Amino acid sequence: MSTVIQCRDVIKTYDDKKALNGLTLDIPEQSIVGVLGPNGCGKSTFFRSLVGLVQPDSGVLEILNQKPNWRNNADIAYLPDRARWYPNHTVRRAFDWAESFLPHFIREQAEKLADFMELDLDLKARGMSKGQEARLMLILCMARDVPVVILDEPFSGIDVLSREQIIEGIIDYLHEREQTILISTHEIHEIEGLFDFTVLMDKGKAIWTGRTEALRAEYGSMHQVFRSLYKRGLEL
Amino acid sequence: MEASLFWKLVRHEMNLTGDRSKEKKRQFKRGWKIGYALVMLLLFFIGTTLLIKTTDFRLSNTWYFTFGLPYMVFFIGFGHAKREWSNDTLGWWLSLPYSRLALIGAKYVANLIQCLMILAAILVVGFIYVVYIAAITSSFNWPMIGQFMILGCNWMLLIALACPILIGLGQFLAISQYTNLRVITPILWFCFMGLGSMVYWSGGFFESKGNNIYIQFSGDQSVTFFPFSTIFIGFIILGWVLIYFVIRLTAYLIDRKLSL
């Protein structure tokens, strides 16, 4: 299987802190990838590097066989970490915006998802709950027919009901598409069944990458994986 | 990038309203804000009427009320760029598949159009105001109204010519705070605010020596249309050229030097 993302010794430093510290990994195409790890392990910096929001200090980083750049973003749907939506936009206007500016955005798909996730098209972002806003932003990514989808903490700060609704939406959607989907999350117990490839990160490095089945075979459940790999002090 | 797409970006920028960082502070709805603005305008009309009827207030002094306009233009550029951070929409904005120059350029053009529209609106209000004053007082005449409007046009023209520079500097300052250049932003604030003072006090902007916009508003000097010196025009053109490079530098900063 060919790779869609290649990383070799990527380093990104903020002041004295190394957000990425020699990150090396390969991500196969058409897989659902869980990028997991504790807060501050470099997940978001890795994702931001993939869409060219930040530039690595050194190393080789390629996505879709190119160095990350703004042109490449036409083929990447990216949900940023801690993002909000434009407060004066309604759902409908957000879809208008996406139709204008996001290549390969499929409006019918977005409206179907909005209906499924119970999002009123006339609802304004300013008046939305966190869960509704998260659903809107997720729809803007999922309604794009692009080879790579990157979701950075799509469930952060969202209540259980909204989270379940979003996950149901993702599962439903995943069956219809052939994309590489990267998801970083802390809600692993609810979504771990989705991942067929897992990247475990710590202190800016990938400490384990591979098929999720192999990870489970070695350590048991994801919860057990976390206990074994992180609490033990990373004796790998 | 296609021109139609660029103009769509400009339209999106022009329609952007709301700042989440101020949402908790602002408890008013839009209707209230418009209501307050109208009340302020009404008070302004009443206040100036009383001043003119009871004191030796000169009509041209009214333009002092617009003294802060260059700063307003600067902060429109500053605030609009900063809003991507304060609204947490930065990730969406910068992951769009368009060059950074196109993204920042769309903001720039949108702000420019908005500022020019504000300046034009002020002139219209100024005209309504002066006609109203002429109607309620016997001492005002048409030449006086003409002088008032010429002075207003000169002032708005001066700001309009400076708009491209002020907006570009505002954007640059807002964005540099989030890049590797943030250590020098206090110096940039000091320099830019000092530059603003020059607009008010520099007599070199006007053809007649010892003149400046403050003296013009006092009504002590006769007013001619477009009184600006060639030095001023030269500075403006130089400023436009320099601001083009500042915009490119801003685009470079958000492309390569963002500190997220």
Side-chain angles (χ1 to χ4, degrees):
Chain A
M1 191 177 265
S2 57
T3 57
V4 71
I5 293 166
Q6 290 179 315
C7 244
R8 294 286 174 273
D9 292 319
V10 173
I11 292 174
K12 175 68 189 175
T13 310
Y14 293 117
D15 297 325
D16 297 333
K17 190 182 178 267
K18 281 192 172 168
L20 298 178
N21 189 13
L23 183 68
T24 297
L25 54 84
D26 288 319
I27 290 178
E29 66 175 4
Q30 290 182 22
S31 49
I32 302 163
V33 185
V35 180
L36 311 172
N39 286 332
C41 71
K43 300 185 297 280
S44 291
T45 303
F46 171 48
F47 285 174
R48 285 175 193 147
S49 304
L50 291 175
V51 290
L53 273 177
V54 294
Q55 306 295 324
D57 301 329
S58 63
V60 177
L61 179 60
E62 284 193 355
I63 180 166
L64 298 167
N65 299 315
Q66 288 183 61
K67 275 180 77 175
N69 64 78
W70 58 265
R71 284 182 191 86
N72 228 11
N73 289 351
D75 293 320
I76 303 168
Y78 170 59
L79 172 61
D81 176 34
R82 282 174 292 168
R84 306 289 304 269
W85 192 249
Y86 296 104
N88 63 330
H89 278 198
T90 59
V91 174
R92 197 187 309 277
R93 197 160 154 203
F95 291 171
D96 291 340
W97 180 91
E99 251 186 332
S100 298
F101 303 122
L102 300 178
H104 317 297
F105 178 80
I106 306 164
R107 181 142 196 153
E108 296 74 34
Q109 176 84 32
E111 286 177 355
K112 220 170 90 181
L113 281 164
D115 187 43
F116 175 76
M117 294 200 194
E118 295 173 8
L119 211 50
D120 183 354
L121 292 181
D122 294 316
L123 191 61
K124 248 189 188 178
R126 186 179 278 119
M128 286 180 186
S129 68
K130 231 175 170 188
Q132 286 170 322
E133 202 174 343
R135 276 179 261 165
L136 166 63
M137 294 189 291
L138 191 69
I139 290 168
L140 292 171
C141 289
M142 288 172 53
R144 288 182 71 192
D145 188 13
V146 287
V148 180
V149 178
I150 299 171
L151 308 175
D152 195 358
E153 297 286 357
F155 317 114
S156 90
I158 298 168
D159 63 272
V160 180
L161 280 176
S162 287
R163 207 157 59 215
E164 281 175 358
Q165 219 168 6
I166 290 171
I167 291 168
E168 273 177 44
I170 292 178
I171 292 168
D172 205 48
Y173 158 87
L174 290 179
H175 290 137
E176 299 168 11
R177 294 292 175 88
E178 290 181 343
Q179 292 172 312
T180 304
I181 301 173
L182 280 76
I183 305 174
S184 76
T185 180
H186 290 101
E187 313 300 330
I188 48 168
H189 55 285
E190 285 170 349
I191 201 168
E192 65 168 291
L194 282 178
F195 301 143
D196 40 35
F197 195 90
T198 299
V199 175
L200 297 176
M201 289 183 67
D202 194 55
K203 294 173 185 163
K205 287 182 179 169
I207 56 170
W208 199 96
T209 59
R211 311 296 305 174
T212 309
E213 291 161 10
L215 186 67
R216 283 209 196 92
E218 196 174 338
Y219 294 98
S221 70
M222 278 290 184
H223 184 67
Q224 197 58 42
V225 171
F226 264 67
R227 282 172 68 101
S228 304
L229 292 183
Y230 293 106
K231 288 191 178 173
R232 199 174 65 190
L234 308 167
E235 295 163 4
L236 280 178
Chain B
M1 183 187 224
E2 287 173 27
S4 63
L5 196 56
F6 179 78
W7 286 107
K8 274 186 184 175
L9 270 175
V10 171
R11 223 172 17 246
H12 161 70
E13 296 293 349
M14 286 183 76
N15 291 330
L16 267 191
T17 56
D19 189 335
R20 288 193 189 274
S21 64
K22 291 175 186 165
E23 261 174 16
K24 282 180 188 166
K25 290 177 205 163
R26 274 193 207 152
Q27 301 297 328
F28 307 117
K29 289 194 168 177
R30 195 189 172 100
W32 277 102
K33 283 184 215 165
I34 294 168
Y36 271 114
L38 289 174
V39 168
M40 294 293 283
L41 198 63
L42 192 68
L43 286 176
F44 168 76
F45 270 71
I46 295 168
T48 46
T49 307
L50 287 173
L51 274 175
I52 286 166
K53 290 229 176 216
T54 57
T55 67
D56 60 347
F57 182 81
R58 292 174 176 176
L59 198 53
S60 58
N61 296 164
T62 314
W63 289 114
Y64 281 129
F65 285 103
T66 62
F67 226 45
L69 277 175
Y71 286 102
M72 183 205 74
V73 172
F74 176 84
F75 282 105
I76 283 177
F78 180 88
H80 205 95
K82 195 175 187 294
R83 200 178 288 173
E84 297 289 353
W85 276 265
S86 55
N87 277 349
D88 293 322
T89 49
L90 179 79
W92 294 105
W93 183 50
L94 291 184
S95 60
L96 286 171
Y98 312 114
S99 74
R100 305 304 197 228
L101 191 60
L103 295 177
I104 198 72
K107 270 193 196 301
Y108 181 81
V109 172
N111 290 165
L112 197 56
I113 294 169
Q114 284 169 329
C115 288
L116 294 179
M117 282 164 67
I118 290 170
L119 298 182
I122 289 170
L123 276 181
V124 171
V125 172
F127 181 72
I128 294 167
Y129 162 78
V130 75
V131 170
Y132 159 78
I133 295 294
I136 60 161
T137 52
S138 54
S139 55
F140 289 101
N141 48 45
W142 282 110
M144 209 172 268
I145 292 171
Q147 289 279 298
F148 175 83
M149 287 311 294
I150 289 171
L151 182 56
C153 285
N154 285 341
W155 176 225
M156 294 303 133
L157 195 62
L158 192 152
I159 301 169
L161 292 170
C163 267
I165 302 163
L166 294 168
I167 292 166
L169 291 179
Q171 283 187 338
F172 175 70
L173 190 56
I175 283 166
S176 62
Q177 292 180 138
Y178 301 98
T179 67
N180 297 357
L181 280 188
R182 65 184 178 277
V183 287
I184 63 159
T185 49
I187 301 165
L188 292 175
W189 270 112
F190 181 77
C191 293
F192 292 171
M193 292 302 115
L195 196 71
S197 302
M198 275 175 58
V199 175
Y200 299 114
W201 303 110
S202 175
F205 285 177
F206 293 85
E207 292 293 1
S208 70
K209 284 179 183 171
N211 204 349
N212 62 36
I213 203 71
Y214 188 82
I215 294 167
Q216 292 266 307
F217 289 171
S218 72
D220 288 340
Q221 302 227 357
S222 64
V223 179
T224 53
F225 183 66
F226 205 81
F228 310 115
S229 63
T230 43
I231 295 170
F232 168 71
I233 303 300
F235 268 113
I236 285 290
I237 292 168
L238 183 68
W240 289 349
V241 174
L242 287 176
I243 215 65
Y244 169 74
F245 291 105
V246 170
I247 293 166
R248 288 205 79 102
L249 175 63
T250 309
Y252 170 77
L253 287 176
I254 52 177
D255 190 33
R256 315 298 297 183
K257 301 291 175 189
L258 266 191
S259 185
L260 294 173

